[in-house]
Amino acid sequence: MSAAAAFSQVTAVSQVVDGPGAGPLALGGASIDGGPYLWITGLVRHVPHGLNTLVSYWSDYGLGLFAVLMLIGWWRARNGGSGAMALALAAPVVVIAAFLVDDLVKALFDEERPCRTLATATLQPCPGPGDWSFPSNHATLAAAAAVALLLCDRQLGRIAVPAALLMAASRVWVGAHYPHDAVAGLAVGALVARGLVPLARRAAPAVDRIRASRLRPLVAAR
């Protein structure tokens, strides 16, 4: 699909989606960046099948990488101080908090999925009605994990940050989200992590108590 055709389709759709019947916080994504979305989903049909397969697998299972990185972060923190261990232990808690914030935002902005609104062919099946698009949950979780890892272990963070960007991009590529959904997800996850992770240092005394107990091997290498 050409860019001109994509923007023409978006204009027609947005006149319906963004009409007076929408709720006060309803978000009409087609009028924001529906054109770029259609251009991207059109491009997908012209790239090698192998690339699309890799992106699809990454979009579905890539969050597992962040879980592995957080596990490595915990293992490495066993050789550090109590503050470092507190940060490592906080990472998964922060990701859960980001998930809850993402769900709250989704409930406020009931943005329909672009693959439903624009009725275009996508790499993956379109989620059902009521599975709101804004912001991207995958992007939120990936960004929260990446920032948490960056704050507790810079080496792991250098892997996690580009991986989070790739996760956000993949969600647009497979047709599940508008570009602004992915960007908003990255912002939500990053802000939640940036706000919560530093507070974890207050748990350092609790880590010290655990290190003095029989559970010491969980939080200290020796």
Side-chain angles (χ1 to χ4, degrees), residues 120-137:
T120 185
T122 55
L123 185 58
Q124 292 187 348
C126 191
D131 188 347
W132 306 122
S133 188
F134 178 87
S136 166
N137 183 265

Side-chain angles (χ1 to χ4, degrees), residues 2-202:
S2 68
F7 279 100
S8 177
Q9 179 178 343
V10 168
T11 300
V13 171
S14 63
Q15 291 175 351
V16 176
V17 174
D18 302 332
L25 292 182
L27 190 60
S31 61
I32 299 174
D33 50 12
Y37 169 83
L38 288 173
W39 181 83
I40 292 169
T41 54
L43 179 64
V44 168
R45 296 191 286 271
H46 300 287
V47 302
H49 175 72
L51 175 60
N52 283 335
T53 299
L54 286 174
V55 174
S56 186
Y57 273 115
W58 170 251
S59 182
D60 284 339
Y61 307 113
L63 289 178
L65 171 64
F66 299 95
V68 171
L69 291 175
M70 285 188 284
L71 186 61
I72 295 173
W74 159 75
W75 186 260
R76 287 160 61 104
R78 292 168 70 246
N79 294 301
S82 298
M85 176 53 71
L87 293 179
L89 293 175
V93 178
V94 167
V95 172
I96 294 173
F99 174 82
L100 296 175
V101 172
D102 177 88
D103 260 11
L104 176 61
V105 177
K106 280 181 180 291
L108 292 175
F109 297 91
D110 53 344
E111 179 190 77
E112 192 64 82
R113 295 277 181 167
C115 44
R116 298 188 64 82
T117 300
L118 298 175
T120 185
T122 55
L123 185 58
Q124 292 187 348
C126 191
D131 188 347
W132 306 122
S133 188
F134 178 87
S136 166
N137 183 265
H138 282 68
T140 298
L141 298 180
V147 172
L149 286 163
L150 187 65
L151 292 175
C152 72
D153 190 316
R154 287 192 173 275
Q155 288 184 329
L156 295 178
R158 292 190 184 102
I159 299 173
V161 169
L165 296 176
L166 288 175
M167 175 56 70
S170 76
R171 299 305 291 163
V172 181
W173 189 264
V174 301
H177 289 283
Y178 293 107
H180 73 266
D181 297 333
V183 173
L186 290 173
V188 169
L191 288 173
V192 170
R194 186 65 183 86
L196 294 182
V197 170
L199 300 179
R201 291 191 181 277
R202 299 179 182 179

